[in-house]
Amino acid sequence: MFTTYNEALEWIHARLRLGIKPGLSRMEWMMEKLGSPERKMKTVHIGGTNGKGSTVTFLRNILEAAGYTVGTFTSPYIEQFNERISVNGKPISDEEILELTNVIRPLADELEETELGGPTEFEVITAMSFYYFANINQVDMVIYEVGLGGRFDSTNIIQPIASIITNIGLDHTNILGHTYGEIAFEKAGIIKEGIPTYTAVKNEEAMKVIEEQAGKKHAPLFRLNQDFTITSHSPQANGEMFSLESNIDKIEQLQISMIGQHQTENAALAVMAVQAINQDGDFSISEDDIRTGLKKAYWPGRFEILSHRPIVIIDGAHNDEGISVLVKELSTRYSNYHINIVFAALKDKKLDQMIAQLDQVADRISFVSFDFPRAAQAKDLFGISKSKNKAMEDKWDTHLAEIINSLKNDQILVVTGSLYFISEVKLYLSEFLKNKTISL
């Protein structure tokens, strides 16, 4: 038995040593021991490469606007571990984390002695969420974000009302495959028999795989630019405006507060999934609810403007597709500014293309490392860059403070890369920008 939150958290994080072990057998074993809590809730399942978290928050806010209580399971966290299991956007308490860990720990120990082996960190947290929403805090809907892939992800034991697959890119290729088709096959693993699926996949090879898998599962498939379309898109000072047309209706002038054309696609997926949710019978979501929810939705660390004077932006662009979107938005919105970029990444990513894109848009680029087992070293990132104005820094926090204190009116700071890095940066910069003082 753990007696403190910190003890529980240390035990959970210690399971990182087990790495990633794809497969559902350990989850199924634990769920059977717990009385199948995953069957006692209504869920929506969201997978894909980029945009999962944003789509979760759009859908959550729409449901909240309609008066429903919504649980979410997301990863990784940005500000605190507890936010991985949240209710109406509020992370569960330290006491609840402690209670859940004490429920799952005996099962993990018992499972360790079987041929299946002990559960990973992610499997432990997923099991905690199932138990929580089934037995401690029963909500109207739980939105589950896939951790990695889909087919063998530990969340993939739910039977959702709807499945959503956001855009697909070449990420985690060492695990999921090296082609769009191979990765799409893993992502399409969340498609369930007869369950409607909504997707914003653009790559033709990936879409063909998803269509094949949906056909085999007799799952109605709704595709961006075929079954629903974004029209009249226009960037706004603090977000985006667009209209959404489908074979059912058209909703004019929807507004979102998250920045980027790609966010209109994530919002559209959430709106389309409302069709399936309304058909469930226990939900009634109006157009007003959709409008209110979309405008209110906020997801930290995704092209998030922390300060307007000076302009400081953080963005968890952690793969090639994410960097492409970031570069496009910077080129569109800040073409008249001198752009300072600070970048950190995980060493198992495809770094050359990411850095090449950043080199093109950055007037000055700095490479840093951070305290994480898989973090790339600053000198290695620096070596990949071909920028004529580049630097590598040992202490990212001091470096960020120096840049911010020297920014002129025609300059901006963009901090990007790994979400694990952005998590640390957000905490630091939020405090620094609030006080605007630091000992250098």
Side-chain angles (χ1 to χ4, degrees):
M1 288 284 290
F2 299 110
T3 57
T4 69
Y5 169 78
N6 286 334
E7 287 177 354
L9 210 55
E10 285 177 10
W11 177 78
I12 293 170
H13 289 327
R15 306 200 70 77
L16 278 169
R17 62 181 168 77
L18 298 174
I20 298 168
K21 301 197 296 186
L24 302 178
S25 54
R26 288 173 300 280
M27 285 302 301
E28 290 167 347
W29 186 95
M30 287 191 288
M31 292 304 101
E32 183 178 353
K33 293 282 186 178
L34 290 171
S36 302
E38 79 282 5
R39 300 177 186 173
K40 300 175 183 177
M41 60 186 80
K42 291 184 182 293
T43 60
V44 171
H45 207 184
I46 300 181
T49 301
N50 295 317
K52 297 188 295 291
S54 298
T55 307
V56 167
T57 200
F58 282 127
L59 185 55
R60 172 178 69 80
N61 277 275
I62 290 170
L63 283 159
E64 281 184 46
Y68 299 106
T69 304
V70 189
T72 52
F73 178 74
T74 57
S75 62
Y77 63 91
I78 295 295
E79 295 177 353
Q80 66 170 130
F81 174 82
N82 301 27
E83 69 192 51
R84 297 183 73 162
I85 305 173
S86 296
V87 177
N88 285 0
K90 182 180 178 181
I92 65 174
S93 68
D94 292 357
E95 291 75 21
E96 288 171 319
I97 290 287
L98 178 61
E99 179 183 356
L100 291 169
T101 309
N102 280 325
V103 170
I104 301 301
R105 168 68 187 273
L107 294 179
D109 290 344
E110 186 179 347
L111 185 54
E112 194 102 43
E113 300 304 316
T114 72
E115 62 182 14
L116 297 175
T120 65
E121 183 203 41
F122 191 76
E123 288 171 336
V124 162
I125 302 166
T126 308
M128 288 167 59
S129 75
F130 287 141
Y131 186 87
Y132 180 78
F133 291 121
N135 300 303
I136 296 177
N137 190 353
Q138 296 179 337
V139 296
D140 298 308
M141 173 74 77
V142 188
I143 307 172
Y144 271 90
E145 178 188 341
V146 170
L148 176 67
R151 186 165 62 107
F152 291 130
D153 187 76
S154 61
T155 62
N156 201 29
I157 58 174
I158 59 175
Q159 190 69 16
I161 291 173
S163 301
I164 297 174
I165 301 174
T166 63
N167 202 15
I168 287 177
L170 298 177
D171 200 9
H172 299 292
T173 53
N174 59 323
I175 298 172
L176 302 180
H178 295 276
T179 68
Y180 282 96
E182 289 172 342
I183 293 174
F185 180 74
E186 298 301 325
K187 305 288 186 183
I190 69 170
I191 299 174
K192 301 295 192 305
E193 186 72 31
I195 301 300
T197 300
Y198 305 85
T199 184
V201 166
K202 298 184 181 67
N203 181 270
E204 290 183 10
E205 179 186 350
M207 179 60 81
K208 183 178 179 181
V209 172
I210 290 172
E211 289 173 342
E212 288 175 353
Q213 295 305 308
K216 289 178 180 179
K217 299 287 181 62
H218 307 99
L221 183 63
F222 301 88
R223 300 154 294 182
L224 176 67
N225 297 328
Q226 293 186 62
D227 303 294
F228 60 99
T229 308
I230 293 167
T231 62
S232 307
H233 168 241
S234 61
Q236 306 293 300
N238 295 302
E240 312 288 333
M241 181 179 288
F242 68 101
S243 298
L244 179 62
E245 294 184 37
S246 70
N247 53 0
I248 295 178
D249 59 10
K250 179 176 182 179
I251 308 179
E252 301 272 9
Q253 295 186 315
L254 292 167
Q255 287 185 287
I256 58 175
S257 301
M258 288 195 273
I259 291 173
Q261 182 178 352
H262 62 293
Q263 294 293 10
T264 66
E265 298 170 4
N266 298 328
L269 287 170
V271 174
M272 291 300 297
V274 167
Q275 295 180 359
I277 294 170
N278 273 338
Q279 290 171 5
D280 177 72
D282 288 337
F283 298 88
S284 178
I285 302 167
S286 69
E287 183 177 314
D288 284 345
D289 299 329
I290 290 171
R291 292 184 180 279
T292 300
L294 289 184
K295 193 168 184 179
K296 184 180 177 184
Y298 154 78
W299 192 238
R302 276 68 170 183
F303 209 96
E304 183 178 359
I305 302 174
L306 296 183
S307 168
H308 288 277
R309 298 182 66 184
I311 298 174
V312 178
I313 299 167
I314 60 173
D315 187 69
H318 56 279
N319 53 38
D320 194 35
E321 285 75 18
I323 293 291
S324 295
V325 168
L326 170 62
V327 167
K328 179 181 177 181
E329 290 304 319
L330 290 175
S331 301
T332 301
R333 291 176 177 268
Y334 297 102
S335 59
N336 296 326
Y337 287 80
H338 184 284
I339 299 174
N340 296 272
I341 291 180
V342 175
F343 178 71
L346 301 184
K347 59 188 175 185
D348 52 9
K349 296 288 184 174
K350 289 183 174 296
L351 297 169
D352 51 350
Q353 292 182 26
M354 295 167 66
I355 292 173
Q357 291 188 78
L358 294 175
D359 282 347
Q360 293 300 312
V361 75
D363 295 287
R364 184 175 188 273
I365 186 164
S366 304
F367 299 98
V368 298
S369 190
F370 62 107
D371 186 18
F372 190 76
R374 290 159 52 206
Q377 294 301 305
K379 62 180 176 59
D380 295 330
L381 301 173
F382 179 88
I384 296 171
S385 171
K386 292 180 172 57
S387 172
K388 294 180 180 179
N389 193 6
K390 62 181 179 177
M392 56 180 174
E393 302 291 339
D394 292 329
K395 297 183 178 180
W396 62 261
D397 50 354
T398 303
H399 183 55
L400 291 179
E402 289 173 342
I403 294 176
I404 291 171
N405 284 333
S406 67
L407 284 178
K408 297 180 173 58
N409 291 336
D410 63 343
Q411 298 178 328
I412 69 171
L413 169 62
V414 181
V415 187
T416 188
S418 167
L419 281 169
Y420 296 100
F421 174 56
I422 294 300
S423 174
E424 293 186 33
V425 168
K426 181 174 170 63
L427 286 173
Y428 171 78
L429 285 183
S430 296
E431 190 64 27
F432 172 70
L433 290 166
K434 184 170 64 177
N435 298 325
K436 268 314 225 119
T437 57
I438 191 169
S439 299
L440 298 176

